[in-house]
Amino acid sequence: MVWCFVLACLWVASPVRAQSTFNTPQVRAELTWHAPQGADIGRPMHLGLVLQHQKDWHTYWLKPGTGLATSLKWALPPGWSAGAIQWPAPHVIKDKAGNTTGSGFEGDLLLPVTLTPPADLAPGGTVELKARADWLMCEEICVPGNAAVAFTLPVAVGAP
C-alpha cells in the first residue's frame, strides 16, 4: 500500500496527460498516463483511470461487499501487456441511515495500471491504447457506468 501512495504522489508531481474524458452527472472518468516522452520500447509505463465522484456518489473496490468493482478491459496492440489495477485502500461505504453497504471510494480516485510495450516496438511512430472502463456508481440508487477510453502515444526513441 505504501508504494501506491508514493506512485500517486509522483503522478501528481510529474507531467500527466489525459486524452479521453467521459462525463456523467455522477462520475467523471479519464484515462491518464505518466510517460513524459511517450511509450519507451520494452519499458513498463504507468496509466491510470481517474474517477471524480460528485458529492455523495461512490464506486466500489476490488472486494466491494455489495455492488460491483470497477474494471478495465484493455484492447492493446500485439505484444503489449497490462497488469491488474493497483487498488488503493478503500473506505467503508455507509448509506444515509448509517448501514454499511460495501467498500469503495468517493471524491477523486486514481486506479493505476502498469502497461508494458513489446521489446520490438518501432521507435518514432505512435501507438493507440484502448480500454473499456465499467463501474457501478451509487448514492441512494445505483447506476451502471462505462466509458471507452483511449490514448495515442508517441513511441520514444530512447530512455528519458
Side-chain angles (χ1 to χ4, degrees), residues 79-107:
W80 283 76
S81 63
I85 293 172
Q86 300 302 307
W87 293 92
H91 67 270
V92 174
I93 303 290
K94 295 188 178 200
D95 63 17
K96 292 189 184 216
N99 300 312
T100 299
T101 61
S103 298
F105 309 97
E106 297 172 326

Side-chain angles (χ1 to χ4, degrees), residues 10-86:
L10 289 173
W11 208 298
V12 170
S14 301
V16 175
R17 311 236 193 308
Q19 270 185 346
S20 86
T21 302
F22 182 82
N23 289 300
T24 72
Q26 304 85 4
V27 174
R28 179 177 187 257
E30 179 176 83
L31 190 62
T32 65
W33 59 283
H34 177 260
Q37 304 294 323
D40 195 5
I41 300 166
R43 182 175 275 180
M45 58 186 285
H46 304 288
L47 280 83
L49 179 66
V50 175
L51 296 178
Q52 295 174 313
H53 304 83
Q54 294 298 317
K55 185 176 180 340
D56 298 323
W57 286 86
H58 62 269
T59 55
Y60 291 96
W61 183 53
L62 173 66
K63 298 178 184 177
T66 60
L68 297 170
T70 299
S71 66
L72 281 170
K73 294 181 181 119
W74 292 95
L76 299 172
W80 283 76
S81 63
I85 293 172
Q86 300 302 307

Side-chain angles (χ1 to χ4, degrees), residues 71-75 130-135 145-149:
S71 66
L72 281 170
K73 294 181 181 119
W74 292 95
K130 298 178 187 179
R132 178 186 164 99
D134 290 286
W135 62 87
N146 64 69
V149 290

